[in-house]
Amino acid sequence: MKKFAAKAASALCAFGLGMALTASVQAATDKEAIIERIKPVGSVCIQGDESCGGATAAAPAGGASSARSGEEIYTGKCAACHASGVLGAPKFGTNEMQLRLDEKGMETLLSHAINGFNAMPPRGTCSDCSDDDIQAAIDYMLEN
Ligand code: HEC
């Protein structure tokens, strides 16, 4: 009889422990679920940042800003003025941009392109272009 009681007690004990474990696992799962639910929708990823995973940063994201080619940005945003030289914009397909590069250096060209310069609007109206995107567009103009 005593033996049985001891057995029953240890069985109960094991059962209790099991319940406690189950409960804490459940709690941990709930916590994860909550964290999952309240975490930010997106995370900011600077192009080339290792923590975003080099591969994803380099691949076309299909999203708003990153990973467009200089040609795409030029065609979409800069060509409006630079294709024909509107308002004295250095004209695409000529050496006008190259002459400016020789005269001022890339740092000045880039900062003028980003911040605006006379009739050149800031970022060439491409408000979602990163500095790298602007640089790529300038490089594209210089190459052509
Ligand atoms: C609304 C017309 C317009 C658009 C759009 C435009 N530009 Fe310009 N850009 C100009 C004009 C005008 C100038 C010449 C400014 C001057 O020399 O007074 C210029 C000059 C520049 C220069 C030379 C700046 C310097 O210091 O001489 C760069 C570089 C440049 N643009 C880059 C870009 C890029 C890159 C884009 C597209 C993302 C772009 N532009 C879109 C009008 C435009």
Side-chain angles (χ1 to χ4, degrees):
M1 198 54 178
K2 255 194 171 159
K3 242 182 179 174
F4 173 76
K7 243 186 180 167
S10 77
L12 263 174
C13 224
F15 180 71
L17 196 68
M19 282 297 278
L21 271 176
T22 318
S24 75
V25 167
Q26 185 61 42
T29 317
D30 285 350
K31 216 172 180 183
E32 275 164 32
I34 290 165
I35 291 169
E36 187 64 28
R37 249 182 282 134
I38 62 172
K39 75 176 183 185
V41 176
S43 60
V44 175
C45 172
I46 308 299
Q47 204 172 7
D49 189 339
E50 288 297 322
S51 66
C52 314
T56 18
S65 54
S66 62
R68 281 175 293 183
S69 72
E71 180 178 2
E72 282 173 285
I73 293 158
Y74 167 77
T75 308
K77 301 288 180 178
C78 321
C81 299
H82 285 269
S84 55
V86 171
L87 302 164
K91 198 171 164 184
F92 188 75
T94 69
N95 65 348
E96 287 174 25
M97 191 64 89
Q98 185 64 50
L99 290 176
R100 286 175 187 246
L101 176 65
D102 295 343
E103 188 190 321
K104 308 179 188 190
M106 185 54 87
E107 219 170 290
T108 305
L109 287 195
L110 181 60
S111 98
H112 282 168
I114 289 169
N115 301 311
F117 177 60
N118 299 327
M120 164 69 201
R123 292 188 192 275
T125 70
C126 180
S127 53
D128 65 345
C129 279
S130 68
D131 294 358
D132 283 350
D133 291 340
I134 299 294
Q135 179 69 68
I138 296 173
D139 289 344
Y140 177 74
M141 285 194 248
L142 285 166
E143 284 159 15
N144 290 272

